[in-house]
Amino acid sequence: MRDSHNNIERFEMNLARAMACVALFDTGYLNLAPDNFRNIIAISAGDTLYVSEAFLDDPIDFCHGRFLRCFTGNVGKPGVALLMSPSNLVFREPELEKWRQVNHYDFEGQSQNSFQSTSLHISLTGYELALNTGAQGLRDEEVVYVEASVSIHEEGEWVGDIDILSLYKFNDILTAPPSHEFQQLIYEGWLREHVLPAQCAHSEGEKKDRSRWVKVVSIDSWIEYLDTPLKSCVIRAKGNWTARLAFAAAMRGREENALIAAGEICWACVHEVSQQLGLNEDQLVILW
């Protein structure tokens, strides 16, 4: 897009372009096309990590005008390492010997954070692929793709692997308006469709009326989530951005009838959004 007043050509920013700019500015010479950064979750260059903000916020808060955050550290690779998620994601199977821990209590409308022990971890799988930058005579690979698995842990035990970037569509989502001030980023894709409205015009009675559901149960542990009930359920992770991000990505990967609450649950909105998306209302998984 060209600014006719200042004769300056602008382009719409996205994550891949932001990473390409960071790689150039950090090294001073590495001028790579944005296409090389598709599906990259972080850049490790020298003693600095540039991490996609999608990994650092509640899914409904991502993000307020930023694409990347900068941290001191690296992944132990020379040159520039581009971290990417693996394509084969694995989840722990329900464990029959732990059936006593699966309660699936009736949901009575109260919110709570049942996932204080949930954490996200990143680890290298060992798969690497050098990127040909055209440079000759370098002793070490200048740029390398490094596969990095993002996994969920509960009380130190592995639960499953997730692809957080699958929640978002990073194409044409941040623009510079004429005032030269960045507007708040609007996410698109699966996440945008599955987030319930933060505010609505329904009455208090309509918001609380869940009479169309014979029974709704609470999910208060990963064991209960993996042994998914045959009824609609509410995952109670109120105020815990790490757990909510983990569950959102898990629900996306497991292709569930998922909805994500941006505030208090309005059951009229649950019904309306479910109808719009064609979800099975008898087996909804609602993240609160």
Side-chain angles (χ1 to χ4, degrees):
M1 180 174 64
R2 180 172 293 279
D3 185 335
S4 58
H5 298 289
N6 299 315
N7 198 31
I8 298 174
E9 187 172 354
R10 301 190 188 127
F11 59 86
E12 294 179 329
M13 183 59 75
N14 59 32
L15 179 63
R17 285 173 174 164
M19 285 186 166
C21 291
V22 164
L24 175 60
F25 294 148
D26 184 279
T27 62
Y29 63 88
L30 198 59
N31 189 11
L32 299 175
D35 283 346
N36 292 306
F37 296 88
R38 297 293 180 188
N39 302 317
I40 298 302
I41 63 178
I43 300 173
S44 174
D47 61 355
T48 306
L49 282 169
Y50 302 96
V51 182
S52 168
E53 192 168 65
F55 288 72
L56 305 168
D57 272 327
D58 188 292
I60 66 165
D61 292 332
F62 171 76
C63 77
H64 302 291
R66 298 185 300 270
F67 284 107
L68 299 166
R69 291 190 202 173
C70 178
F71 299 92
T72 300
N74 59 60
V75 296
K77 301 293 180 181
V80 176
L82 308 181
L83 277 62
M84 60 182 184
S85 294
S87 57
N88 54 328
L89 303 178
V90 182
F91 253 83
R92 189 175 76 198
E93 293 294 328
E95 300 172 72
L96 297 179
E97 65 273 15
K98 295 185 178 180
W99 65 270
R100 292 182 183 274
Q101 300 177 36
V102 179
N103 297 307
H104 290 160
Y105 291 127
D106 289 354
F107 176 69
E108 297 179 350
Q110 286 80 29
S111 64
Q112 66 182 52
N113 175 20
S114 300
F115 297 91
Q116 296 93 334
S117 59
T118 294
S119 57
L120 292 175
H121 301 254
I122 188 166
S123 58
L124 306 185
T125 66
Y127 174 78
E128 298 181 10
L129 177 66
L131 174 64
N132 183 8
T133 63
Q136 301 293 324
L138 294 178
R139 182 174 181 179
D140 296 312
E141 301 290 357
E142 188 175 16
V143 182
V144 61
Y145 290 111
V146 177
E147 193 174 68
S149 174
V150 179
S151 57
I152 306 166
H153 289 245
E154 181 182 36
E155 296 182 345
E157 292 188 7
W158 174 80
V159 175
D161 300 329
I162 53 175
D163 179 7
I164 292 175
L165 291 189
S166 68
L167 294 171
Y168 309 94
K169 178 184 177 183
F170 286 106
N171 294 320
D172 305 326
I173 50 178
L174 185 61
T175 60
S179 65
H180 299 273
E181 296 178 358
F182 283 111
Q183 65 185 19
Q184 179 173 335
L185 183 146
I186 302 174
Y187 48 74
E188 297 185 2
W190 184 92
L191 181 62
R192 185 177 185 179
E193 292 180 342
H194 290 257
V195 171
L196 295 170
Q199 297 179 336
C200 65
H202 295 115
S203 67
E204 287 301 311
E206 291 173 323
K207 291 179 180 180
K208 296 179 180 179
D209 181 13
R210 58 175 189 272
S211 58
R212 70 176 62 251
W213 291 272
V214 176
K215 186 175 183 179
V216 179
V217 301
S218 297
I219 299 294
D220 292 311
S221 71
W222 283 96
I223 293 175
E224 291 184 346
Y225 169 73
L226 295 175
D227 191 0
T228 307
L230 298 178
K231 306 174 181 64
S232 290
C233 59
V234 175
I235 300 168
R236 300 198 293 179
K238 186 76 169 181
N240 185 335
W241 74 265
T242 305
R244 282 171 53 82
L245 180 60
F247 271 113
M251 293 190 298
R252 172 71 168 114
R254 287 159 59 94
E255 299 182 344
E256 294 181 301
N257 295 290
L259 293 173
I260 301 172
E264 298 301 311
I265 298 177
C266 169
W267 290 94
C269 288
V270 168
H271 172 62
E272 291 176 358
V273 176
S274 298
Q275 291 285 301
Q276 293 169 7
L277 297 178
L279 302 180
N280 180 358
E281 290 191 72
D282 293 328
Q283 289 185 293
L284 293 176
V285 182
I286 302 171
L287 175 58
W288 192 10

